[in-house]
Amino acid sequence: MYCRTPRLAVVAMFTLNGALLGIWASRIPAIAANHSLTPNLLGLLLLCLAAGAIISFPLAGHMVDRFGAARVTRGIAVAYCAALIALGAAPNLPLLALFLFLFGMAHGSMDVAMNTWAAEVEKAAGKPIMTSFHAMFSLGAGLAAALGYAAIKAGIDVPLHFASASLLVGTSALAIASIPWVSPRSAHSNASLFAFPKGTLVFVGLTAFAAAMGEGAVADWGAVFLNGSIGTTEAQATLGYTAFSIAIFAMRLLGDRVIHRFGAQKTARASGSVALIGVLTVVGAQGLAVALLGFALMGLGYAVLFPLAFSRAAADPNTSPGRAIASVATLGYGGLLLGPPVIGFVAQAASLRFALLTLAALALLIIAFAPHLRKPQP
């Protein structure tokens, strides 16, 4: 019999969040085919998901202040599972757009709440463990994408897949996360609804934006690229996000030790370089094996950039930790959620291969902004 701890509870929530996103990502080609979506129309629908998430950020922040991070995280997790079930059953485009908006709201608000809970647990632990939480998000996403491959091979349709997976993963994670934990609360918040970074934090936020845009692009367009540009089967197309997520997971398990040994600046510069090589490998790939190698390199490159950005924000001497993290998250999650629609619009105008080159330009920005991720000396 396992012992439920605060750390394990947060691990369960990060894993659930990643799993639900991975389930959705694994069936995007099927949903696009079922609704006869062009790249441009798919991009517009993904914009609905992005809009829902961005709207949810300030709302989730106020909910966390009022009710506590742990309680809000668990409540939103239930709504997130329900939104995925509804998404799979959407009978037409208007309802698909609505459910994507709600799915985006649930995803975005759970991100805010669970990261706040994670920060509380990290503070109580007295040592850096945030990267390990993000590793579990990646593990959940990768396993869900791999199970999506199995569901496709077994002939399970999208509605049944989404409903059964959401119920199974959701109930298991919530059972583990149902522990006594008292989060700090604030009846009133004087912070503005939208926190935007200032000074050096602008570069930190843009680094998070570039990394998150790459993650979002792989999640929402990786399978479409493999299926349409490489010519893989629908089942094989799920392997791109699987390779990407496994690489991120492995690197995040090692992330704290790598950063400790080489420092934030060198780690960020190397990460941007690896991401750049990965993007160019994917864009130039003509076969599945080379494309999977490229996706894995992208995962290795992006893995520690988000945790690095949050760590630098929390140490900023001119802004309180909470507001600094919120401002960086606004840019970061904006990249995660706004990036895929932008890729769709460029793909419609040119090609998906050409659209993915925007990620190469952003990788160069990561390399250039690496010095800003170094913590200021006390």
Side-chain angles (χ1 to χ4, degrees):
M1 182 177 181
Y2 66 88
C3 178
R4 292 185 298 175
T5 64
R7 183 170 182 175
L8 186 60
V10 175
V11 162
M13 292 293 92
F14 270 76
T15 305
L16 173 63
N17 190 289
L20 295 180
L21 190 64
I23 292 166
W24 148 251
S26 73
R27 303 309 296 265
I28 290 176
I31 292 173
N34 291 342
H35 293 276
S36 302
L37 303 178
T38 63
N40 192 40
L41 187 53
L42 179 57
L44 285 172
L45 285 171
L46 293 175
L47 191 59
C48 293
L49 190 154
I54 290 172
I55 289 173
S56 77
F57 293 152
L59 299 176
H62 284 281
M63 288 172 62
V64 166
D65 284 342
R66 184 170 182 181
F67 302 108
R71 181 179 177 187
V72 172
T73 300
R74 289 189 289 255
I76 293 174
V78 175
Y80 196 13
C81 292
L84 182 61
I85 293 172
L87 188 58
N92 52 51
L93 278 180
L95 284 178
L96 180 63
L98 173 61
F99 294 149
L100 269 173
F101 178 82
L102 296 175
F103 184 73
M105 283 196 72
H107 173 70
S109 56
M110 188 176 177
D111 265 326
V112 172
M114 73 183 187
N115 273 288
T116 305
W117 191 6
E120 295 170 5
V121 173
E122 182 180 52
K123 183 178 180 181
K127 59 181 179 180
I129 55 176
M130 182 67 79
T131 302
S132 66
F133 291 139
H134 284 262
M136 300 314 295
F137 171 90
S138 303
L139 177 64
L143 289 177
L147 291 175
Y149 174 90
I152 293 167
K153 296 295 286 185
I156 299 174
D157 62 16
V158 173
L160 179 59
H161 178 196
F162 282 12
S164 58
S166 295
L167 291 172
L168 178 61
V169 179
T171 54
S172 300
L174 285 166
I176 296 171
S178 298
I179 63 166
W181 180 266
V182 180
S183 294
R185 302 186 189 188
S186 175
H188 304 284
S189 176
N190 295 322
S192 60
L193 281 180
F194 291 97
F196 200 79
K198 298 178 181 179
T200 300
L201 288 182
V202 172
F203 301 102
V204 178
L206 288 174
T207 300
F209 175 91
M213 184 166 171
E215 289 191 43
V218 175
D220 287 337
W221 289 106
V224 176
F225 174 80
L226 289 176
N227 187 229
S229 300
I230 301 296
T232 67
T233 65
E234 183 190 343
Q236 289 174 330
T238 66
L239 298 178
Y241 191 58
T242 302
F244 177 82
S245 297
I246 290 173
I248 283 188
F249 171 68
M251 186 60 197
R252 282 178 173 168
L253 287 179
L254 300 173
D256 289 331
R257 281 175 283 178
V258 172
I259 295 166
H260 178 73
R261 180 171 181 179
F262 297 104
Q265 179 178 335
K266 289 183 178 179
T267 302
R269 183 171 288 138
S271 295
S273 300
V274 173
L276 175 62
I277 295 171
V279 172
L280 296 178
T281 301
V282 169
V283 171
Q286 298 299 319
L288 178 60
V290 174
L292 292 182
L293 173 62
F295 282 126
L297 289 172
M298 289 173 70
L300 291 175
Y302 293 134
V304 301
L305 291 170
F306 229 89
L308 269 177
F310 280 136
S311 180
R312 170 58 181 84
D316 191 75
N318 303 313
T319 311
S320 66
R323 185 167 180 79
I325 291 173
S327 68
V328 169
T330 298
L331 276 182
Y333 286 115
L336 182 66
L337 299 160
L338 289 176
V342 171
I343 295 292
F345 297 146
V346 177
Q348 181 72 19
S351 69
L352 187 51
R353 284 184 188 272
F354 181 82
L356 291 176
L357 282 176
T358 58
L359 303 180
L362 290 172
L364 291 174
L365 286 182
I366 293 171
I367 297 171
F369 295 159
H372 297 287
L373 292 178
R374 186 175 51 212
K375 291 184 180 180
Q377 295 298 319

